[in-house]
Structure formats: C-alpha cells, structure tokens
Amino acid sequence: MMSRKIVSLLLAIVMTASMLTGCGKKAEPDGTKTSDDTYTEKEVLTDNEVGAEYPQDWTAGNDEADGSADLENGGQKQEYKSDVAEADAYNSADSAAMKESATEDYAVPRYADDYVPYSGEEYSDTEENPFYSVKESPLSTFSADVDTASYANIRRMIQEGYYIDEIPAGAVRIEEMLNYFSYDLRRPDGSTPFGVTTEVSDCPWNRSSGLLMVGISTKEIDFSEAAPSNLVFLLDVSGSMSDEDKLPLLQKSFSMLTDNLTAKDRVSIVTYASDVQVILEGAKGSDKDRILSAINGLFAEGGTNGGDGIQTAYGLAEDYFIKGGNNRIILATDGDLNIGLTSEWELEELITKKKESGIFLSVLGFGTGNIKDNKMELLADKGNGNYSYIDSEREARKVLVKEMGATLMTVAKDVKFQVEFNPEIVESYRLIGYENRVMDDFDFKDDTKDAGEIGAGHSMIALYEIVPARNSAKGGKDSIALKYQDDYVTNTSQSKTDRTLYEIGKNSEYCTIKIRYKEPEQTKSRESEYPVKGSDYTQKPSQDMQFAACVAQFGMLLKNSRYANDSNIEDVIDRLSELDLRDEYRKEFYILVKQAGGYRGYLGVEDF
C-alpha cells in the first residue's frame, strides 16, 4: 500500500496540473446574497451591460504608452535585480523564520485521504459589489475599515501549502488585504486628522475600464508620548487554545506589548474558559514583572465562556476608566465561544451597547483548524476596534510593537466615505472589497449610524473600477442634492460621444469624495470634501497604485471573482516583478503569490 506521503505528493501533482490548465477561466461566485437592502435602490448592471460595448482603449495613445512602459519596466527590473545589498539584508533577517518552516515540497497540501482542510473554521462570505450605473446610482457610500486579519490568515494558509483555489472565499476580504500594507500617501495638514491621496489610471485586468485609488493616512504617534492607556487583556484560555500557535503564541505576543507600556498606563487581565477569572487588576504599565508573571502563568483547559468574559472585561475597563485616555479591551481568542452568549446577534447586541461607554474593543485571532473568523470580525467591528490575526511572533511584533499606535490609539471614529461620480465622465463603477461595509446613501449624514475607526499611523486604500461614459444625460427625481446632476438621473436626454475617459476628464472632475468622521470623544461629525480632477489621471501610475492593484487582483483570483475577467496569477507575478518592493512585507507578498501559484521550494529574494 502506498504511504500517506506518496499519496499526498501524487494528489499535489494532479492539482498542480489542473490549476495550470485552468488558469484564466471564469466562474460564477459561489457566495450567498446578503440581507443588506442597500442594493435594492441602485441599478445593478449585468455582465452584458458592463463593458460589452465600451471602447477597448479608454486612453489616447494606449499602445504607444504600453510600448514605452515595457522598455522602462525592463530597466526597472534590471536595476531592481542588481540591488543585492537590500535583498541580502532582507534575506538574512526577517525571512529567516520563513525559511526554517519551508520544505522541498512546500506547495504540497498537508492533508490527505478524507481530511477536509479547515473544516472547523467559520467564515461569513458576502457577494461581491456589482457595477452600478452612475445615472441611476451616482453615490457610493461605505464605512472605513482598517482591519488586516484577512491577509495574515490567507498568508498562513498559503504558507501551509494550500493552492489558490483551496482558500475559503469567505476568508478573503480584499480591503483587509489592501490595508495590511503601508503606502506613501499624503500626510495630514492639520485641518483634519488624515491626508487624502487620489489617483486615476488604467485597470490592469480590464482594458475597457479605469481604476480609481483613494488613499488616506493618519499622523503617526509615539506611543510613549501618547495619552495614558487603560488596557484590559481579555484572554481565552479554554481547552481549544492549547496548541502551540494559540496560547503559547498569545503569551509571547502580550509580553511584547507589555514591554512597551509605561507607568502612566494601567493593565488588567481577565481570563475565560469554563468560568471567568480576574487575575490582574489595575497594575501600572511599569510593573512589568507582575504583568509578565500573570501572562506566563496561564494554561489552557475547559470550555469557552466568552460572553461572561466580555462583560467582566467591560466592568474592569469602566472601573479604571481614564478620561481623555485610551480605554480599550484587547480580546485574544480563536473565536470559539460555546458557553453563554454564542450567537452572532447576541454578541452584536452586547458589544453595541457597551461601546457607548467610550471603551473600544480590539480582537486578536490565533490558531488554525477551528477559527471563528465571522465572530471575531463582528466583535471588532461593533466594538469600535480593529481585528488582526496573529500567525507568528513576527506578525505579533508588527501589530503590537511596530504599529502600536495604529492598533491602540483611535484618532477618528465613525469614519464614512461617500463618492459622487460625474455621469459626464463615468458610466458605471464598482467598489472593490468593503462588501460588509457598504452603507445606505442617506446614512452618510446620520450621526447615529455606526461606522469604522482609524488609528494613529494607519493607511487605508479603497479602489474603484470605473467604466468611461459614452452618453451624457440630465434629469431625475431624488431628494439628495448632487453636485454633477440635478438628482438621481433618468434618461431624459442623451448625446453620443466617442471621446476617451482621459479626454473627457482632463478639464473636469471624475468624482468628489466626501469624508465624514468624529473626534474620538465627540458625538458630532465633521465633514471634508475632495474633488478628483482630470489632472489626477496618469498613464504611468505610482508604485503604490500598481502594488495595490496587484493585491486587489490577487484577492479577486482567490475569490474566483467573475470581475477578474481572463486574468490569472501569472499576470500578478509579472507585474510584481517589475515593482520596487520597498519593504519586507511587500517582498513577502510577492513570495506568497508565487507560492499560491504552485511554485515549488522556498521562494526567497533570489527570485526577485
């Protein structure tokens, strides 16, 4: 009888051949429709209506530009490959841990026979955002999201050896993939807590469309000079947390965080398993031995009474509340709640009530096999916090040390975006990602409606695929005042045009972006407005926009998106190879994409 290892290897070879022959094929998404009624008032375009009759070249001189770009990119690639010093530095430092865990048959899945990978994990999938007609639905409204858990979780799966078509679609949230990385964006000027960057260029996976990037960044804060923090560590020590990548990694992660606290900070620790225990209460951040002793003394056993644990943690946070400070619960768990409040709606109701006290809830996910991603994301979203997934000490250092301000210090809450497109230039649009953040257009100015939070030093990217307008029209019938047309437009008049999007937009505006937000301790929102002008268009997009487009396209391929058209993973790999992958995380992404495509062996910087 064949050994399990040989069977696994043969299975991997068959899967690799199947994947290579299937590249570029389109398939319908298998997600289920959500109950969100946001889409009911908008005209959703069908596949035949989107792109079928649009010009194939939407910018003047596309072919000429492509030719010069090829020459320039070739030079960039040669220059990049010669950058030995930077590559060696990265290879010897941050990639060492990845090399240790790699094997010669790295891409061979670790499961065989009848074992189903991640069968105990739970994800909430949502249908992708469709194209909307600008004439009928000129406004796109959504809430900010700076979570990063989806990317780290996907990375974990790929590094364990799973192919691109084996990643659960519900695990893929493109906005979290985009926002995992840092970008060179415009900094705040003092009038608002964030700077706004916009850019328009060609869409790399659909030449009939353009791509609009909206990026915001907040000012970085030195945590040692920030307002004092009142932190409650809410730690899952149930039996499901006994694995090495759960409680032991949790202990190392919170030890890193503790090392950066000071005497002005306060720390309490609540653990939950079958019952709930308060093992530390109101300790000074400088009392590190006491905090570390409590953390290192934890062990895993019993059930998962997360509901009572959350209520106890909020009680402690209220007892030690610091006015004007950072009051936050940090929940660390695999999300498996099986005692007390366990359903999503019960948890949502509890957290929604508690957040009004000014105490934020952030969530750190750990482990494999039984992750309850749906519950952890919900808790962070409703608790005015962020959601990160910790798969290694390296990721813990990124989230809790390097990006400590972004993780723990909120600079703007209930952040909402509303983009009004100009029908003279844009015929239709599609927001890439943010499916569970889409809001009703009328909720934008409603300050009672909850939205996302942004921390200090955060970058956030949103991408729209936009189709150039062929017709102009006026008329309409709605009560929201619009900038580019009277109201929501009906086809009362039309005039045919053959102009490209660049020609139409160069003396006009593509759209206007409105951002509404509250200061952390305020209840009334402020609003800022940013027009996207024709001058924002470029045939040679920035390195940031090119990289963001690669991340988005990879996410669409992971979701088997119908909007990815005939593109494939080789397209993403080729474009990434031409970019200046300036930091360790972008370099790691390039390696990850190649691994997802079935490339064997450890892929290090020598592949750049």
Side-chain angles (χ1 to χ4, degrees):
M1 180 180 291
M2 287 187 181
S3 69
R4 177 182 292 267
K5 184 174 182 180
I6 294 175
V7 171
S8 299
L9 183 58
L10 290 174
L11 176 62
I13 294 172
V14 172
M15 292 169 64
T16 303
S18 175
M19 182 198 68
L20 292 175
T21 57
C23 286
K25 294 181 180 179
K26 294 187 287 185
E28 293 296 323
D30 57 359
T32 57
K33 291 182 179 294
T34 67
S35 59
D36 190 336
D37 61 359
T38 304
Y39 302 147
T40 59
E41 296 183 0
K42 294 180 179 287
E43 178 185 334
V44 181
L45 300 184
T46 65
D47 290 342
N48 289 334
E49 293 172 319
V50 176
E53 297 179 348
Y54 298 151
Q56 291 302 305
D57 293 321
W58 72 299
T59 60
N62 246 350
D63 294 336
E64 180 180 351
D66 288 343
S68 59
D70 289 341
L71 292 174
E72 184 169 354
N73 286 337
Q76 288 178 346
K77 186 173 182 180
Q78 187 63 34
E79 179 182 353
Y80 183 74
K81 284 186 173 181
S82 66
D83 193 356
V84 177
E86 181 183 358
D88 287 344
Y90 170 70
N91 191 44
S92 61
D94 293 291
S95 66
M98 289 189 290
K99 279 192 171 182
E100 290 178 3
S101 63
T103 60
E104 291 184 358
D105 56 345
Y106 196 87
V108 177
R110 62 189 179 97
Y111 66 91
D113 300 333
D114 296 327
Y115 176 69
V116 179
Y118 311 124
S119 59
E121 300 185 2
E122 295 179 7
Y123 301 95
S124 295
D125 196 12
T126 54
E127 188 175 7
E128 287 184 283
N129 291 324
F131 279 94
Y132 292 117
S133 164
V134 176
K135 294 175 184 177
E136 298 297 327
S137 306
L139 299 174
S140 172
T141 308
F142 67 100
S143 165
D145 187 350
V146 289
D147 294 345
T148 61
S150 177
Y151 176 77
N153 191 26
I154 290 168
R155 177 182 62 200
R156 178 261 301 185
M157 295 179 191
I158 294 174
Q159 288 180 343
E160 286 182 354
Y162 291 89
Y163 291 119
I164 187 171
D165 57 352
E166 296 173 327
I167 307 297
V172 182
R173 294 184 289 275
I174 294 177
E175 69 277 10
E176 295 184 22
M177 296 175 66
L178 288 167
N179 294 330
Y180 181 87
F181 303 95
S182 62
Y183 300 87
D184 186 17
L185 304 174
R186 185 174 291 116
R187 293 297 177 184
D189 60 8
S191 59
T192 63
F194 38 74
V196 178
T197 301
T198 58
E199 193 170 347
V200 182
S201 192
D202 303 323
C203 179
W205 58 84
N206 187 353
R207 289 179 61 85
S208 298
S209 300
L211 198 64
L212 163 65
M213 182 183 80
V214 181
I216 68 172
S217 66
T218 59
K219 184 179 180 181
E220 294 186 6
I221 295 177
D222 186 340
F223 192 79
S224 64
E225 299 176 0
S229 292
N230 163 37
L231 303 177
V232 179
F233 300 165
L234 177 57
L235 309 180
D236 182 353
V237 294
S238 62
S240 67
M241 292 290 290
S242 60
D243 295 340
E244 190 66 26
D245 60 354
K246 294 185 181 180
L247 184 58
L249 180 57
L250 180 157
Q251 291 169 311
K252 294 175 183 177
S253 301
F254 278 85
S255 296
M256 293 180 193
L257 173 57
T258 299
D259 286 340
N260 288 275
L261 300 177
T262 64
K264 66 183 177 181
D265 304 314
R266 292 292 179 270
V267 175
S268 301
I269 301 179
V270 178
T271 64
Y272 66 92
S274 297
D275 58 4
V276 176
Q277 294 185 4
V278 177
I279 63 172
L280 189 66
E281 188 171 341
K284 289 185 178 181
S286 56
D287 195 355
K288 301 186 188 303
D289 289 342
R290 185 181 171 200
I291 300 171
L292 292 174
S293 177
I295 293 172
N296 294 328
L298 301 175
F299 58 92
E301 66 176 3
T304 317
N305 193 356
D308 287 349
I310 291 172
Q311 295 189 67
T312 301
Y314 271 108
L316 271 176
E318 291 168 357
D319 290 342
Y320 291 92
F321 189 87
I322 300 175
K323 188 174 182 179
N326 171 36
N327 298 278
R328 186 178 298 266
I329 296 169
I330 305 177
L331 168 61
T333 178
D334 60 5
D336 190 10
L337 309 179
N338 53 36
I339 300 175
L341 301 176
T342 59
S343 70
E344 290 186 36
W345 71 265
E346 287 179 310
L347 293 169
E348 179 178 350
E349 184 178 36
L350 171 65
I351 300 302
T352 300
K353 289 180 180 178
K354 292 294 186 180
K355 73 176 181 182
E356 300 302 328
S357 63
I359 299 167
F360 295 167
L361 172 66
S362 290
V363 180
L364 303 179
F366 288 84
T368 65
N370 69 329
I371 293 173
K372 303 300 183 275
D373 176 82
N374 51 349
K375 292 178 181 176
M376 291 189 284
E377 184 195 15
L378 177 75
L379 289 171
D381 288 349
K382 298 302 178 182
N384 280 3
N386 39 21
Y387 171 33
S388 302
Y389 176 76
I390 308 297
D391 62 340
S392 63
E393 291 185 50
R394 179 170 172 265
E395 184 66 13
R397 188 171 294 107
K398 176 181 185 290
V399 173
L400 297 174
V401 179
K402 290 183 178 180
E403 300 174 359
M404 192 174 184
T407 302
L408 300 181
M409 303 296 296
T410 297
V411 297
K413 67 179 184 180
D414 289 338
V415 182
K416 306 172 188 175
F417 290 77
Q418 187 166 81
V419 182
E420 181 188 345
F421 288 95
N422 184 351
E424 296 289 331
I425 302 176
V426 181
E427 175 128 325
S428 60
Y429 62 88
R430 186 178 81 85
L431 175 62
I432 301 173
Y434 295 92
E435 281 83 5
N436 61 2
R437 293 288 190 164
V438 172
M439 305 181 72
D440 187 88
D441 296 331
F442 290 92
D443 288 341
F444 179 71
K445 291 185 177 293
D446 186 347
D447 286 351
T448 66
K449 298 295 183 179
D450 183 49
E453 282 62 47
I454 296 181
H458 257 145
S459 295
M460 183 190 135
I461 296 291
L463 294 175
Y464 282 91
E465 183 176 347
I466 56 177
V467 175
R470 297 170 300 151
N471 303 311
S472 61
K474 292 192 184 243
K477 56 170 180 57
D478 208 278
S479 59
I480 296 182
L482 301 176
K483 180 177 182 179
Y484 302 112
Q485 47 188 313
D486 295 336
D487 288 304
Y488 277 36
V489 173
T490 57
N491 284 332
T492 56
S493 65
Q494 293 186 346
S495 61
K496 189 72 175 178
T497 176
D498 294 325
R499 293 178 297 169
T500 66
L501 181 59
Y502 170 69
E503 291 171 328
I504 299 171
K506 62 183 179 181
N507 296 318
S508 186
E509 296 176 358
Y510 297 103
C511 61
T512 293
I513 301 162
K514 294 181 180 179
I515 304 178
R516 196 170 175 87
Y517 66 96
K518 298 172 186 170
E519 300 287 348
E521 296 185 341
Q522 300 297 317
T523 58
K524 188 174 182 180
S525 292
R526 298 183 179 183
E527 187 176 313
S528 301
E529 186 173 301
Y530 306 88
V532 180
K533 301 179 180 179
S535 57
D536 289 318
Y537 174 83
T538 175
Q539 287 186 331
K540 184 182 178 182
S542 65
Q543 290 278 316
D544 276 342
M545 187 172 186
Q546 292 182 65
F547 181 78
C550 287
V551 174
Q553 186 175 357
F554 182 57
M556 288 190 290
L557 292 171
L558 289 174
K559 292 181 75 70
N560 197 20
S561 169
R562 57 178 174 163
Y563 300 111
N565 295 317
D566 293 326
S567 66
N568 54 53
I569 199 166
E570 282 74 21
D571 296 336
V572 181
I573 293 171
D574 289 345
R575 296 208 314 280
L576 284 171
S577 69
E578 306 292 343
L579 297 180
D580 176 12
L581 304 177
R582 62 175 182 247
D583 61 42
E584 61 185 279
Y585 303 109
R586 292 192 178 196
K587 292 172 183 176
E588 181 188 56
F589 176 71
Y590 176 67
I591 295 171
L592 202 70
V593 174
K594 296 190 78 172
Q595 289 174 340
Y599 288 72
R600 293 197 172 276
Y602 172 74
L603 303 171
V605 292
E606 63 271 15
D607 293 292
F608 284 76

